Each structure stands twice: as C-alpha cells, then as structure tokens.
Amino acid sequence: MNHVKAYEEVIDFIAAGTTTQNVIDFRPSEAAQERLAELISREKQGALSAEDRSELDHYLQLEHLMRLAKARAREFLAE
C-alpha cells in the first residue's frame, strides 16, 4: 500500500516557497491525517510494526516542527 509520507508534504511546502501566513495556515492533507489516525489507532491496539512505529515517529517529529514554525510565524506577524 502506498502511504502518504508527511515529510514529503512538508518538503513540497517548503520547496514551493512560503509566507508567514502560509506557515500559520498549513494543514496536512486529508490522506496524511487519515494515515496518522490509523497509526495512532494501531499503536493503541499494540499492533504497530517497526516500520509503522518509525513512520509514526516521523509524523510526531514533523508535528512538533510545524508547531514551532507556526509559533514563530505568529511572533513575526505580531512585530
């Protein structure tokens, strides 16, 4: 099964160029959100493979990075 990789979406977002407001407005695709929900559900059931665990870890790292970027973007807009 070909899963959406969250980091590819973020790379595309950055590579396309952006503005402060675009950073604040960024949301993962519906497919990425569904995949994350699936991984979280499987984690709760104790049914994650090592590959799935790695993918979930990537999602969580990217979420943290984007939260930091959004907070910084809000600071820039407030200046």
Side-chain angles (χ1 to χ4, degrees), residues 11-75:
I11 289 168
D12 289 344
F13 173 73
I14 293 168
T18 191
T19 66
T20 304
Q21 190 62 51
N22 285 346
V23 171
I24 293 168
D25 294 340
F26 178 81
R27 298 285 179 269
S29 68
E30 187 173 318
Q33 292 177 42
E34 289 172 1
R35 178 63 178 156
L36 178 57
E38 176 188 339
L39 290 170
I40 290 171
S41 175
R42 290 176 51 204
E43 179 187 40
K44 289 179 181 178
Q45 298 168 4
L48 277 183
S49 67
E51 183 178 332
D52 288 343
R53 175 82 247 168
S54 176
E55 184 179 354
L56 179 57
D57 288 344
H58 279 106
Y59 274 92
L60 297 175
Q61 290 170 357
L62 285 170
E63 178 185 13
H64 181 70
L65 175 71
M66 289 307 297
R67 284 178 187 244
L68 291 173
K70 286 173 184 248
R72 184 69 51 91
R74 286 184 186 98
E75 288 176 9

